[in-house]
Structures are given as structure tokens and as C-alpha cells.
Amino acid sequence: MHSNHLLLEEPIRMASILEPSKASFFPAMTKIVGTLGPRSRSVEVISGCLKAGMSVARFDFSWGDSAYHQETLDNLRTAVKSTKKLCAVMLDTVGAEMQVVNKSEKAISLQQDDNVILTPDKGQEASSQVLPINFDGLAKAVKKGDTIFVGQYLFTGSETTSVWLEVDKVNGNDVDCKIKNSATLAGALFTLHASQIHIDLPTLTEKDKEKISSWGVANKIDFLSLSYTRHAQDVREAREFLSKLGDLSQTQIFAKIENVEGLTHFDEILQEADGIILSRGNLGIDLPPEKVFLFQKAALYKCNMAGKPAVVTRVVDSMTDNLRPTRAEATDVANAVLDGSDAILLGAETLRGLYPVETISIVGKICAEAEKVFNQDLYFKKTVKYVGEPMTHLESIASSAVRAAIKVKASVIICFTSSGRAARLIAKYRPTMPVLSVVIPRLKTNQLRWSFSGAFEARQSLIVRGLFPMLADPRHPAESTSATNESVLKVALDHGKASGVIKSHDRVVICQKVGDASVVKIIELED
């Protein structure tokens, strides 16, 4: 991997830096995943989030019961109808997460150099001396000198609200630790993270399975975010579990990489998963801080070349209670885009943050600015070289469509697809213009009833950079032979015009299947 693997377009004109950002229907090609929770579950706030650019809503089952999340999801559906903005649903599992349970919810203050005992005895009250945990194998997994981190769920990383512990000695099932920094832990639940230690908990827990087969099935979730993925086998087991749940056989699995174990097996995990979430909060605790950027670049590069969506988390923590991000955070968002990420995932910022809508809006603006200077030419050459020759039929069509669109300065690429695969392949080459993926529903039967498929494919492209889906009306043909016949192409062009992406006299590249062949066409629009 070359060190210059994504250079900026040179040179950036200073004048362009001062130009106002143009608002558009597609605020950014990079997608935004928002976590819905206490501060972002009313129809009003969710509508604001959708308008600001959120295209995937994440439901985190580490807290809150099914009824709570169902109410939020019903509000999301109402907001989708009223704003006419599509939104996909992601269920995030708890996975192999060790937790400290604080039943009384009283704040616990810990003093530097004191000792605290971690015990699997859940009957105990949490206090400054004892923290009860939900895992009885910790004593077997750690040894003297190991590092353990305890913080409020969604680590703030703030040294006053989270604590570093060093294992002093192991006493039966109890782990006696020295406190490395003074802190006050507040809330009912804290996450416990043991650095670089294998934790013998299943990746998909029984509780996760129960939530997926009830809540997940009832709501036909688009994405499953598999927390603490450590091996390719974790993804295979989750896939097998989903395959037995009717509609959920179409759900995409995003492997969440959050510790060194997941990094070690990254290549095999990437092969099995539909996408990757780089959980930088936990990774930043498991890895030395100076290694995080390197791993991010390498992981994003691998996802890009495999043509699988990559999602980066923990970018604007300070916006949880501030209206503006720090300079470092703004730069970090831009660098995630330049490194090739498909989507930015917001956690605490939208879940319990004070400014969910503003956060989405600002992140979208930063992404849009970074996209303007993304070196598409270098990226395209790299991808073509990586794919090698002979290319598959589809790969060749997709890269040709992008090359043609860039050469003729097309304002949009329209791709007709039924599985969504062709559109995703076009997006893999990162064209500079939006790709309208027109999903043509397929009629399928299970011997009992006929149904149209396509909604899953349309929503699943909402996490891919540059891809904007439209679900076509199955009654309309893709091309019309007679002028009076309302074709899907005309509907797509009208949609593009209404959203301000296509203007008269623009050129548009169209990619579609005609019989067995795939065709790339360039059309110039009249008035």
C-alpha cells in the first residue's frame, strides 16, 4: 500500500475555500448513520435528522427494551412518510460486551491509587470498593499488570467520567485493581474493556438472538451491526441464524471491528461480511493511540478495493454538548472521507447529544467539502489496477460507466438494477457525480403467494457513498418505445430534475441490462 494512497487534487485554489457551500438535494455523497435515542426519537427531531442528511437509523440494543425502540421506529416511519426521505434500519447487537451494573444508579467516585474489586457477584451493590460485572470468566482471562478500562457506555474518553485500572491480583473469581486516575462514574451501566485480552463470550448472545428474531423480524431490518466481531466464523454463524428468519435472509451483516482480535482476522472477516464498521471508540482503547490512524487507512483501503461499504465511528464526540466540533474533529471527518469511508456513524452525538440535527448537518457539510478535493482519478486507476485483468463482465461495465461519465462531465449516472449489485459496483469506482440506483422490483413466489422484492435492495444502498436509490414502479418499463408510455427512465430523470441534480442540456450516463447484455449509454437532455 502506497503512502500517497489518496492525494488531494492539486492545487486547491484559495478562492474556492472562501466560496459559500452550495446546498443541494444530496448534501454529501458520504452517508450518515444516526443512532436514535432519548434526544432523537420524536417525529419532529427525526424529521430534522432526515432533512439534514441521515440515511440510516441505528437502534442500539445495549440499552432500552424492544418496546422503547419500536416506538422510536414507528416515529421514524412517520417522519420518512412526511419528509419523503428514504431511511434504512440498522440493529446493533450487544455482543461480547462486559458491563458493570450499577442498580442504584448513584454516582460512584473512584480515587487515584485506591483499589477497587471487579466481581461477578451480581447481588452486590456497586460502590467505590466493588464493581459487580456481568461476566464470570474475567479472573481467568487477566493477569497482574493488565489494563482494564471502565466508562459510561459510548466511552466519552474523558478522564473524569471514565477510569483506567491496572490488575493488581486475582482472588478466585474476583479481580483486584489499582485505580490509575480519579473519576466519577455516573449512570446505570458502564462498559468494561480489557485491553488486548480474549473474552470468552459469544459474539451473538442468546439475548441478541431473541431481539433479532422478535424485533428484527417484525421490522424487516436492513442491516445487522455485529458488535465485537473477532473471526470470520462470527459472521458465518450470524448469517446462518438470519437465513432461517424469512425476510431477514436479505439483511446485510456489518462486522463491527472493535478490538485487536478483530483486526488480526480483518481480511477473513471482510470476505464474509457485507460491510465493516470501524468502532474507533473501543479500538482506541485496545490499540496504542498512535496506531489508530494507520489501521483506519489500511482497513478503509481494503474495504474500498473489495467494493464493500466502510463505516467510521466516533468523529465529533465534542458535539454531544457543543454546537461546533473542534478543529481536530472537523479535520478527522474530512480525512475519513479522503481515506475512502462510505459513511460516518454518529453515536452519543445523536443518541443523547444536545444537537442531533446540527451535528448531522455539520458532518454532512464537512464531507461535501472533502469530496470536492478527493482525487478521483488516482483512486480510479488504483481500483482498476487492483481488480486486474481479465475483469468480470459486470466490473468492466461498471468501470466503463464511471469513466464515460467523467469524460463527458455527466451530471448523474442512472443505473437500473434488480439486485443492487450493479449500482454498488459503479459506486465502488467512486464517480464524482451521484449514482441514481433505480431498483426494478422482481416478482418472486414462495409457492403460496407472489411478492415483489426490491425494497431491501433500495434501502441497503443508503449506506454506500454516492449511491441514491429509487424504487421503480414495477408496472413501468425501463425504456419506452412510444412517447406516450411513462417509462422508468423518465421517472428517474424527473426525480433528478426535481432534486436539482439534473438540468436541461446536461449529459446523463445510463447503465442497464438489455436482454443478456449490459449497455452503457450517454444521453444529452433537451429542455
Side-chain angles (χ1 to χ4, degrees):
M1 220 175 75
H2 305 300
S3 56
N4 68 341
H5 90 256
L6 278 189
L7 297 171
L8 296 179
E9 295 283 12
E10 289 292 344
I12 298 172
R13 294 183 1 264
M14 286 317 277
S16 72
I17 293 175
L18 303 173
E19 284 165 10
S21 309
K22 289 192 286 294
S24 107
F25 175 75
F26 303 124
M29 306 275 259
T30 308
K31 302 301 174 67
I32 295 174
V33 181
T35 307
L36 301 185
R39 302 304 289 252
S40 52
R41 60 194 299 259
S42 67
V43 174
E44 190 187 359
V45 175
I46 297 174
S47 300
C49 290
L50 291 168
K51 286 182 192 150
M54 173 178 85
S55 62
V56 180
R58 171 173 169 261
F59 292 81
D60 189 340
F61 276 80
S62 296
W63 61 277
D65 58 12
S66 295
Y68 180 91
H69 289 302
Q70 190 60 54
E71 199 178 301
T72 308
L73 181 53
D74 294 341
N75 288 348
L76 169 68
R77 292 201 169 120
T78 307
V80 163
K81 281 200 183 88
S82 66
T83 58
K84 296 192 169 48
K85 301 269 187 205
L86 277 176
C87 188
V89 171
M90 176 184 278
L91 184 156
D92 194 84
T93 64
V94 180
E97 180 167 276
M98 295 187 291
Q99 295 168 334
V100 173
V101 186
N102 178 17
K103 287 194 199 122
S104 72
E105 295 195 31
K106 289 194 184 104
I108 298 165
S109 85
L110 300 168
Q111 294 304 316
Q112 187 173 335
D113 296 332
D114 281 1
N115 274 35
V116 66
I117 292 168
L118 302 174
T119 178
D121 176 3
K122 298 202 199 59
Q124 295 222 34
E125 279 285 323
S127 70
S128 305
Q129 289 79 43
V130 178
L131 296 176
I133 61 172
N134 68 341
F135 174 55
D136 49 21
L138 186 65
K140 293 185 193 74
V142 298
K143 59 184 184 311
K144 185 176 167 65
D146 279 345
T147 303
I148 293 176
F149 180 90
V150 181
Q152 187 181 27
Y153 164 69
L154 285 170
F155 301 137
T156 56
S158 156
E159 297 301 273
T160 55
T161 57
S162 49
V163 69
W164 288 96
L165 306 173
E166 188 181 299
V167 177
D168 209 2
K169 56 176 185 285
V170 174
N171 243 336
N173 280 340
D174 291 355
V175 179
D176 196 343
C177 301
K178 188 168 240 22
I179 300 167
K180 305 295 279 181
N181 63 287
S182 297
T184 301
L185 301 177
L189 207 61
F190 317 115
T191 303
L192 183 115
H193 188 96
S195 290
Q196 305 204 14
I197 286 159
H198 172 75
I199 295 303
D200 201 13
L201 279 169
T203 302
L204 201 58
T205 64
E206 288 310 311
K207 195 174 156 203
D208 288 330
K209 287 179 176 172
E210 189 272 314
K211 294 280 192 253
I212 294 164
S213 44
S214 55
W215 195 91
V217 169
N219 295 301
K220 297 186 179 176
I221 55 167
D222 303 297
F223 302 110
L224 179 73
S225 156
L226 193 60
S227 295
Y228 295 95
T229 303
R230 296 167 285 185
H231 299 269
Q233 187 57 28
D234 295 340
V235 184
R236 283 193 285 270
E237 283 168 12
R239 179 103 48 213
E240 195 182 331
F241 178 68
L242 290 179
S243 70
K244 300 185 180 109
L245 297 176
D247 284 324
L248 294 202
S249 59
Q250 288 180 272
T251 297
Q252 287 190 349
I253 298 175
F254 273 55
K256 211 163 158 198
I257 307 292
E258 28 197 340
N259 55 23
V260 168
E261 218 175 329
L263 278 188
T264 312
H265 305 110
F266 187 85
D267 293 357
E268 305 96 276
I269 292 170
L270 177 59
Q271 260 180 317
E272 291 291 332
D274 296 300
I276 296 281
I277 296 172
L278 305 181
S279 184
R280 301 190 315 172
N282 287 4
L283 265 169
I285 288 163
D286 224 34
L287 279 174
E290 68 273 20
K291 299 278 191 198
V292 177
F293 84 97
L294 204 55
F295 137 76
Q296 175 175 313
K297 285 181 189 298
L300 289 178
Y301 173 79
K302 286 175 175 177
C303 292
N304 290 166
M305 293 303 117
K308 291 186 176 181
V311 183
V312 169
T313 68
R314 303 305 301 271
V315 288
V316 285
D317 289 352
S318 73
M319 285 197 76
T320 306
D321 33 35
N322 291 301
L323 248 180
R324 281 172 75 101
T326 65
R327 277 96 30 222
E329 288 170 337
T331 307
D332 186 28
V333 174
N335 278 327
V337 172
L338 296 175
D339 285 348
S341 72
D342 283 80
I344 301 286
L345 188 151
L346 302 171
E349 303 96 327
T350 53
L351 173 113
R352 58 184 171 82
L354 307 180
Y355 307 104
V357 177
E358 291 83 348
T359 304
I360 292 169
S361 171
I362 286 175
V363 167
K365 282 180 188 156
I366 300 169
C367 291
E369 284 295 324
E371 286 155 11
K372 288 183 196 166
V373 293
F374 180 80
N375 190 338
Q376 200 282 332
D377 189 43
L378 182 66
Y379 180 90
F380 187 90
K381 286 181 182 135
K382 263 207 170 76
T383 313
V384 169
K385 189 175 166 194
Y386 181 88
V387 169
E389 287 173 0
M391 270 189 175
T392 62
H393 179 87
L394 258 180
E395 197 85 57
S396 145
I397 291 290
S399 55
S400 305
V402 174
R403 179 170 276 153
I406 285 167
K407 293 273 186 253
V408 303
K409 291 194 162 39
S411 54
V412 67
I413 299 173
I414 295 178
C415 174
F416 294 99
T417 174
S418 54
S419 69
R421 208 169 132 229
R424 277 201 304 277
L425 266 184
I426 291 175
K428 168 181 168 178
Y429 287 91
R430 295 279 192 256
T432 47
M433 65 291 294
V435 181
L436 278 186
S437 144
V438 183
V439 181
I440 310 287
R442 286 175 301 184
L443 199 54
K444 59 176 191 179
T445 178
N446 60 1
Q447 268 67 55
L448 291 170
R449 63 193 183 95
W450 288 89
S451 64
F452 280 112
S453 76
F456 267 103
E457 290 81 353
R459 289 193 305 264
Q460 282 165 344
S461 55
L462 288 165
I463 204 163
V464 181
R465 178 147 143 196
L467 204 49
F468 297 90
M470 261 183 73
L471 194 55
D473 183 329
R475 294 166 305 196
H476 291 167
E479 280 281 3
S480 60
T481 35
S482 64
T484 52
N485 191 348
E486 177 81 335
S487 74
V488 173
L489 176 59
K490 184 175 179 319
V491 176
L493 291 170
D494 289 347
H495 177 68
K497 284 175 187 162
S499 58
V501 193
I502 306 173
K503 298 179 287 303
S504 51
H505 304 299
D506 272 0
R507 288 171 178 169
V508 173
V509 168
I510 294 157
C511 187
Q512 69 185 124
K513 264 199 163 115
V514 177
D516 287 338
S518 299
V519 182
V520 173
K521 287 192 310 198
I522 300 164
I523 60 170
E524 193 154 337
L525 300 181
E526 290 141 19
D527 287 338

